[in-house]
Amino acid sequence: MAQVRVTVDGVQYADDVEPRTLLVHYLRERLGKTGTLVGCDTSNCGACTVHLNGQSVKSCSVLAVQADGAEVTTIEGIARDGKLHPVQEAFNECHALQCGFCTPGMIMQSIDLLGDNPDPNEREVREGIEGNLCRCTGYQNIVRAVQSAAEKMKPGVQADVQSPVSVAGGGD
Amino acid sequence: MLRKEDARFIRGRGQFVDDVQLPGMLHAAVLRSPYAHARILSVDASAAESHPKVRAVITGDLLAERGLAWMPTLSHDVAAVLATDKVRYQGQEVAFVVAENRYAARDALALIDVEYEPLPPVIDARRALDPGAPLVRDEIDGRADNRVFDWESGDAAATDAAFAAAEHVSALDLLYPRVHPAPLETCGTVASVDRVSGKLTVWGTTQAPHAHRTLYSTIAGIPEHKIRIVAPDIGGGFGNKVGMYPGYLCAVVGSRLTGAPVKWTEDRSENLMSTSFARDYHMSGEIAATKDGRILGLRVRVLADHGAFNGTAQPSKFPAGFFHIFTGSYDVPAAHCQVTGVYTNKAPGGVAYACSFRVTEASYLVERLVDVLAHDLGLDPAEVRRRNLLRPEQFPYRCATGWEYDSGDYPRTLELALDLAGYNELRREQAQRRHEHAETGNGTLMGVGISFFTEAVGAGPRKLMDIAGLGMADGAELRVHPTGSAVLRLSCMSQGQGHETTFAQIVAEELGIPPDEVEVVQGDTDRTPFGLGTYGSRSTPVSGAAAVLAARKVRERARLVAAAVLEVAANDLVWEKGRFHVRGDPAACVTMREIALAAHSDLDLPDGVEGHLDATCVYNPPNLTFPCGAYVCVVDVDPGTGQVKVRRFVAVDDCGVRINPMIVEGQVHGGLADGIGMALMELMAFDRDGNHLGASFMDYLLPTSMECPSWELGETVTPSPHHPIGAKGVGESATVGSPAAVVNAVLDAIGVRHADMPLTPAQVWRAMQGTPLRTDLAIGERS
C-alpha cells in the first residue's frame, strides 16, 4: 500500500492505495467520481480524460500514486456555483452528445484545448480532440460546440465566465 | 427542442452500469480461451479458490451441475455459457471468478490451470463445408458438417429466365467483412439475488430489458415476477447489447453462490473478441440488364459466417434477417437470393451495428452491383440509378421478394442530393484532375460515389415477426397527473437516441402538455410495459406509434371529462391543441390542465367513464416503415500511398415526419462516421490459427474527428401512410447507406472495378496494382 494525497474537484483526500491502482479506478471506486468513464484498455478512447494540475490526461494511463500532491479536476468539478461551464452549455446547445459516454472526457479535453488555443478553427478543434473517440455523434456537433464555447468565453462576451485555465486548475 | 437527458450527462451524472455501487458488492472477471479450437482436458481452479480475496470460482462443470452450462440463443441454437467439452473460439468464456475487488478478480484468473488439447480450427468460411473440415459443433448428435441453415427468397425460375434473356450480365464477388459495433461503453451487469424474497435484480447493458427478463426466467428457472431488469443509462448499443452474454448469467450464479451483488464489466478486448460481431457476409451477386442499363434481374448467393454458435438477434422466421430487401430502391422485375450459414471457430453474432437485420449487407450489395453495372456499360452511375429508381406512383410497392414498401419519392431525393453535391461540377473537376494527373503524374485522384438506399425498419407485424417466440409489438402507458404533468412508460430503451426528449415531444404534440412536463420512463421492467426494446430503428415505428395512440386514448377520455365540465355533449366539443372548446363558442373551453384536475375530482361523470386520465396501448405494426436516402461521397486518394481522404459527404435522408430534426441529424452524423469506419478502417481479421487480429483499439481502428468531414445534410419528407404520425425509423439509415457511397467513391477515384473493405492505404494501393486482397484472413490470399 502507498499513500496518496490529492485534491479532487477542490476537496482534499488522503488514502492508502495499491501502487498499481489506476487513477481512473481511484476516482470512480474510492471517491465515487463516476462521471469519469472507461471505454478501452489501450489508452485510445479518452473517455477517462481529466485534468491533472490543469492539463488533460487519460486517467486510465496514470497511477493514482502519480497524482500524489496534485490537483485533479473531473467533469464533476467544472461547474461553478451551480452554473455550467460554457463548454458544458455548448455541448447541450449544439447537440454534441447522444449516449453521453464520451461526453465527460470530451468536455474535459475541449476545456484543455481552449486553454491552449482560445479561438481554434475547425481543423484545430478536430486535431485537439482526436484522442477522444465518440461512437454516436460523428464529431461534427462536438466541433461546433467547442467553437461555440470559444465564442462564449471570449473576453467581454460574458463577464461572469471564468477562463478555462483557472477552471482547469481547481474547481469548487 | 434541446435534449432533456443532456443535463445529467454533461455534469458526469449519468448512471451507467459500472457506476452502480451496492453494499457488499463483489467483482467478477472471466477466464477466456487462448485457442480458437481446443478440447478441454481439465480445469483446476483450486489455487484461485484459495486466493484470500476470491469468494467463488465458477467453472463449466459447476454450471453443468445446475443445468446452466449451455443457454438457448435467439436463433434456435444453444451457446456455451462456460465451456465444458471444448472451446470454439479465441476469447470464449471458460471460468468466472468472483472476488472482493476487480483487481483481485483479475489476479485470480492467472491461478486457474486449464489443460487444452488444440484442434484444427475452421477459420475460412469458404472452407467450412469442405469434406473433412473440422467439426465446430461435434456435440450435436448426428451433425456431419458445419452448415447452420440454407434459406432462400424470391422466384428462382423467373430470375433465371430474366438472366437468360438479358442483353448484359455483370457479376461480382464481394465481402462485407466482419466488423464490430464497439459501443464506447462495453457490456456489463450487476446481479443481485435477494435470498429472503428470492427476487433477482439485474442492472444491465440491455437494449431489450423485457425480453431479457423473459430469457433470464427461461434459462435460470426464476419466475418472471421475481425478476427485475434495470437498464440504466447505456453508453451506446448499436446492436451489441441486444442478446444475452455468458457474463450476465455467470453474475447471477455468482450472486446466488455468494449471497452478495456481483458486478461484471468486460474490458474492450473482451468486448471485441467475444460479443456480437456484425456482417461477415461473402456475397456473389449478378445483375441482369439491358444495354442501356435497365435492371432486369438480381441473383445472389451468400455464405454467412456465423461463428461457433448461431446467436444472431433477429426475427425467428428470418435466418438471414431482412437480407431479401436486396433489390434496394429499384424496380427489379425478378430476384432471387440463397443464403447459407456456416459455423466457424469465431465468436457468435452477425446482426448488430445498426444493420436493421442485414439491410446493411443487402444495401451494400445492390449499390456496389449498380455501380459495377455502370462501370461495365460505361454509363454514369447517377444516370443508371435514375433509369431504375422506383417512381412515387408505384407505392405501396411490392418488391420481387415480397416486401411492401410504404412510400417514397426517390427521384426527388436523389436529385436533391446531386444538387447539394453539385454533381455535374464534381464530374467536371474530376475530369480536369484526371487530365492533370495523366499529364504530370502529380496530384490526388478524385472520386465521387453515390448510394441510394431503401431501409426496412420497425419490426414488426407479430404474425410474421417474433424474437425467441415473443411477438414484436410494443407497449406504452401514459398517465396524466391531477395537476397536468404526465408520465409516459415505454418498452423501448434508448442508448443515446434521445427517447426521453422525442417521446415527450410526441405526447406534447398530441395533448398540448409542454414536453418538459412529460417524464419518459424506460428500461425498468418493474415500471414499464412489456415490449421488445430498441434496435432495428424500431422505436419510432413501433413504440412511437404506441405512444401516439395512448395519448389519443387519453385525449378521448379527456373529451368526456371536458363534456361533463362544460355540461355539453362530447361530440359538441372541438379539440384545439391543449384544450377543448364548445363548437361555435371558443370562449367556452377547458384546458388539459383543468381537465386533468377535473378527472381526478368529485366531478360527476357519466356512467362508464372511469375518471382519471390514463391509457395503455400495445402497438402491433401493420408493416415496416421504409425510409430511404441518397448519399454522395467525394474522396481524394493519394496515388503514391493509397491514403483516402473523405473531402465531402452529402446525405439526404427521408424518414417521413421528423419528430426532432436536431436529433435526426445527430443520428445521421453518427451513422455516416460508421460508414467511413467500415469502408476505410474497421476490420476483425483472423490468422490461420484463429487468432483475433482486431481485438483492441490499437488494431480495430475507429474513425476519429480527423477522418470525418463536416457532413452536409438534406431532407425530403415522405410520410409513412400507415404510421399514426407518418414517422419512419432513421437511426440505422446512415450506417446502412454510407459504406457503399465511400467505397464507390474510392473505386471511382482509382478506376478499379472492385476491392473489398476496408479500403486501407495498403488495400487501395494493392487495388491500384490490380491485386486487392481478401481482407478477412491475414494470410495474403487475393480477392
Side-chain angles (χ1 to χ4, degrees):
Chain A
M1 287 289 178
Q3 197 179 60
V4 57
R5 292 173 175 276
V6 60
T7 302
V8 179
D9 296 336
V11 177
Q12 292 185 353
Y13 299 88
D15 276 301
D16 289 327
V17 298
E18 287 189 70
R20 64 174 173 169
T21 303
L22 298 175
L23 178 59
V24 68
H25 288 143
Y26 174 72
L27 293 171
R28 289 179 51 79
E29 297 184 357
R30 186 70 68 86
L31 305 188
K33 294 273 182 184
T34 53
T36 303
L37 297 158
V38 178
C40 75
D41 47 12
T42 48
S43 316
N44 293 85
C45 81
C48 62
T49 303
V50 299
H51 294 171
L52 184 66
N53 291 331
Q55 296 293 313
S56 69
V57 296
K58 293 181 176 179
S59 61
C60 75
S61 304
V62 177
L63 298 170
V65 293
Q66 290 177 292
D68 188 39
E71 287 197 10
V72 174
T73 306
T74 78
I75 187 68
E76 296 169 61
I78 55 171
R80 288 182 174 275
D81 305 327
K83 185 169 169 46
L84 292 173
H85 189 283
V87 175
Q88 289 174 300
E89 280 181 358
F91 267 59
N92 174 228
E93 291 161 2
C94 298
H95 187 36
L97 62 147
Q98 291 179 29
C99 81
F101 202 82
C102 78
T103 308
M106 197 67 86
I107 289 175
M108 298 310 288
Q109 179 60 26
S110 300
I111 293 172
D112 186 67
L113 160 66
L114 292 174
D116 292 341
N117 181 354
D119 190 19
N121 63 30
E122 181 191 332
R123 180 166 182 87
E124 288 165 340
V125 174
R126 288 183 180 276
E127 285 174 347
I129 62 169
E130 110 182 286
N132 292 66
L133 294 174
C134 172
R135 298 293 290 140
C136 295
T137 65
Y139 301 104
Q140 180 163 327
N141 287 347
I142 294 174
V143 175
R144 280 179 49 221
V146 175
Q147 292 191 295
S148 166
E151 285 297 315
K152 289 171 185 271
M153 292 161 67
K154 278 184 179 166
V157 172
Q158 244 178 301
D160 58 335
V161 172
Q162 312 224 359
S163 79
V165 174
S166 66
V167 173
D172 313 349
Chain B
M1 178 184 171
L2 296 179
R3 295 203 325 165
K4 299 164 78 168
E5 42 273 80
D6 288 1
R8 61 182 184 277
F9 293 130
I10 59 174
R11 291 171 170 85
R13 297 300 296 273
Q15 191 178 45
F16 301 99
V17 173
D18 198 53
D19 301 342
V20 173
Q21 289 283 356
L22 298 176
M25 188 178 75
L26 303 172
H27 294 260
V30 173
L31 182 71
R32 294 176 181 277
S33 168
Y35 292 103
H37 199 195
R39 200 155 300 288
I40 293 178
L41 301 179
S42 64
V43 179
D44 179 358
S46 54
E49 286 166 342
S50 306
H51 186 289
K53 292 192 172 167
V54 168
R55 300 282 195 86
V57 179
I58 300 170
T59 62
D61 285 347
L62 184 145
L63 291 184
E65 289 166 15
R66 289 161 171 75
L68 290 171
W70 294 79
M71 63 177 175
T73 71
L74 298 177
S75 292
H76 302 301
D77 195 0
V78 291
V81 179
L82 294 176
T84 50
D85 53 340
K86 63 178 188 177
V87 289
R88 292 171 176 80
Y89 56 92
Q90 190 184 52
Q92 188 183 339
E93 297 82 355
V94 175
F96 189 85
V97 172
V98 181
E100 289 174 17
N101 63 60
R102 75 173 74 221
Y103 284 64
R106 295 275 167 155
D107 288 344
L109 297 182
L111 302 175
I112 300 172
D113 190 13
V114 184
E115 197 179 352
Y116 295 100
E117 176 186 278
L119 299 169
V122 182
I123 302 303
D124 185 345
R126 297 175 308 171
R127 301 278 85 85
L129 296 176
D130 286 356
L135 269 191
V136 178
R137 300 296 298 280
D138 54 350
E139 91 287 357
I140 304 173
D141 281 345
R143 176 161 276 287
D145 63 22
N146 291 314
R147 190 181 303 270
V148 185
F149 63 84
D150 284 302
W151 179 84
E152 63 179 319
S153 179
D155 187 331
T159 306
D160 289 346
F163 273 79
E167 292 173 340
H168 175 87
V169 173
S170 286
L172 182 67
D173 285 350
L174 70 175
L175 169 70
Y176 207 136
R178 179 175 285 229
V179 291
H180 195 281
L184 200 56
E185 177 202 36
T186 60
C187 299
T189 190
V190 177
S192 179
V193 177
D194 184 322
R195 282 180 170 172
V196 176
S197 67
K199 181 141 183 171
L200 166 66
T201 304
V202 177
W203 287 261
T205 48
T206 170
Q207 299 177 220
H210 287 276
H212 270 217
R213 182 173 63 176
T214 303
L215 291 168
Y216 278 102
S217 176
T218 308
I219 296 167
I222 303 169
E224 217 164 337
H225 69 287
K226 295 277 193 188
I227 303 175
R228 177 186 176 204
I229 309 292
V230 182
D233 291 324
I234 297 181
F238 314 112
N240 190 226
K241 296 167 177 170
V242 175
M244 295 286 284
Y245 294 120
Y248 300 168
L249 291 173
C250 289
V252 173
V253 174
S255 181
R256 267 188 179 169
L257 286 175
T258 61
V262 172
K263 175 187 280 186
W264 170 69
T265 307
E266 67 187 1
D267 64 26
R268 175 55 55 192
S269 59
E270 296 179 287
N271 176 255
L272 290 168
M273 288 178 87
S274 69
T275 65
S276 185
F277 74 92
R279 324 294 188 255
D280 216 344
Y281 260 33
H282 301 245
M283 302 183 277
S284 295
E286 295 171 278
I287 187 165
T290 62
K291 280 180 182 159
D292 62 355
R294 288 214 58 107
I295 302 170
L296 302 172
L298 280 169
R299 193 161 55 190
V300 188
R301 291 188 66 93
V302 177
L303 183 66
D305 185 339
H306 280 238
F309 309 111
N310 187 24
T312 46
Q314 72 215 340
S316 299
K317 299 180 186 76
F318 299 82
F322 300 164
F323 181 78
H324 49 313
I325 190 140
F326 68 94
T327 56
S329 311
Y330 309 107
D331 191 2
V332 180
H336 182 253
C337 70
Q338 187 177 339
V339 183
T340 297
V342 294
Y343 291 120
T344 61
N345 288 111
K346 301 173 192 170
V351 169
Y353 206 172
C355 77
S356 309
F357 308 121
R358 303 288 190 186
V359 182
T360 33
E361 289 90 327
S363 182
Y364 180 67
L365 171 90
V366 66
E367 288 308 294
R368 276 272 56 234
L369 274 179
V370 167
D371 253 41
V372 163
L373 178 66
H375 181 276
D376 291 350
L377 294 175
L379 297 171
D380 181 289
E383 183 54 31
V384 173
R385 287 178 171 85
R386 279 193 192 102
R387 290 177 190 175
N388 290 285
L389 280 181
L390 294 168
R391 298 181 311 280
E393 64 272 19
Q394 288 177 280
F395 293 89
Y397 170 80
R398 187 168 291 278
C399 77
T401 55
W403 296 104
E404 187 176 284
Y405 298 10
D406 56 352
S407 64
D409 188 345
Y410 295 0
R412 194 161 69 91
T413 306
L414 176 64
E415 295 309 323
L416 177 58
L418 296 175
D419 285 350
L420 287 173
Y423 185 73
N424 295 333
E425 180 56 37
L426 287 171
R427 288 294 181 202
R428 278 193 289 275
E429 181 191 346
Q430 182 183 40
Q432 173 74 18
R433 285 193 178 221
R434 279 190 176 147
H435 179 71
E436 284 168 15
H437 185 74
E439 295 273 302
T440 66
N442 292 328
T444 56
L445 296 170
M446 172 188 171
V448 183
I450 302 172
S451 170
F452 195 110
F453 65 90
T454 297
E455 258 272 44
V457 299
R462 63 195 296 171
K463 71 176 181 184
L464 294 174
M465 295 178 191
D466 71 278
I467 286 189
L470 305 170
M472 299 188 78
D474 276 70
E477 295 176 4
L478 176 62
R479 182 184 305 162
V480 180
H481 304 308
T483 52
S485 65
V487 56
L488 175 69
R489 303 173 188 280
L490 296 169
S491 57
C492 58
M493 179 60 215
S494 179
Q495 316 115 50
Q497 299 94 331
H499 295 166
E500 279 172 61
T501 302
T502 52
F503 279 80
Q505 290 182 272
I506 289 173
V507 171
E509 183 66 24
E510 294 294 328
L511 295 184
I513 297 172
D516 284 338
E517 296 178 21
V518 181
E519 182 198 5
V520 174
V521 179
Q522 49 185 345
D524 183 338
T525 56
D526 275 5
R527 297 176 68 205
T528 57
F530 185 86
L532 275 258
T534 294
Y535 42 84
S537 304
R538 63 189 301 278
S539 291
T540 293
V542 190
S543 290
V548 171
L549 297 183
R552 288 179 185 172
K553 286 184 186 179
V554 164
R555 200 165 71 202
E556 286 316 297
R557 173 94 57 85
R559 176 190 295 275
L560 300 176
V561 175
V565 171
L566 295 169
E567 298 181 335
V568 296
N571 58 13
D572 282 338
L573 291 175
V574 176
W575 171 255
E576 55 178 318
K577 193 171 170 186
R579 69 188 62 209
F580 281 103
H581 70 77
V582 177
R583 193 180 311 279
D585 184 5
C589 72
V590 57
T591 66
M592 271 310 287
R593 198 180 292 275
E594 292 162 343
I595 294 168
L597 192 57
H600 291 83
S601 73
D602 60 357
L603 176 71
D604 191 21
L605 291 168
D607 287 347
V609 179
E610 292 178 48
H612 299 188
L613 272 187
D614 53 26
T616 66
C617 175
V618 177
Y619 189 74
N620 176 29
N623 191 4
L624 304 185
T625 65
F626 296 79
C628 69
Y631 292 174
V632 180
C633 179
V634 184
V635 299
D636 293 308
V637 179
D638 182 331
T641 63
Q643 178 76 37
V644 176
K645 176 171 176 50
V646 178
R647 189 205 304 178
R648 292 179 62 199
F649 202 112
V650 172
V652 176
D653 276 276
D654 189 332
C655 57
V657 171
R658 294 189 171 201
I659 296 163
N660 183 321
M662 174 192 82
I663 284 178
V664 170
E665 291 183 3
Q667 294 282 290
V668 173
H669 289 176
L672 296 177
D674 292 346
I676 284 183
M678 284 181 280
L680 302 180
M681 305 167 70
E682 299 177 31
L683 176 67
M684 302 210 299
F686 294 81
D687 70 11
R688 286 181 191 282
D689 297 325
N691 291 307
H692 196 303
L693 303 179
S696 83
F697 281 169
M698 304 293 277
D699 304 300
Y700 191 79
L701 303 181
L702 297 169
T704 73
S705 50
M706 295 302 289
E707 282 77 42
C708 295
S710 278
W711 318 107
E712 301 169 57
L713 306 191
E715 66 172 275
T716 54
V717 178
T718 313
S720 174
H722 65 74
H723 188 276
I725 56 172
K728 304 183 183 185
V730 71
E732 298 170 318
S733 285
T735 311
V736 164
S738 57
V742 181
V743 171
N744 288 345
V746 174
L747 297 177
D748 179 60
I750 62 177
V752 168
R753 190 171 183 269
H754 181 68
D756 285 324
M757 298 185 282
L759 297 172
T760 60
Q763 175 75 334
V764 170
W765 193 84
R766 283 179 182 278
M768 292 174 71
Q769 318 308 313
T771 57
L773 288 177
R774 280 197 57 198
T775 51
D776 58 330
L777 298 175
I779 55 179
E781 191 179 334
R782 288 198 188 163
S783 286

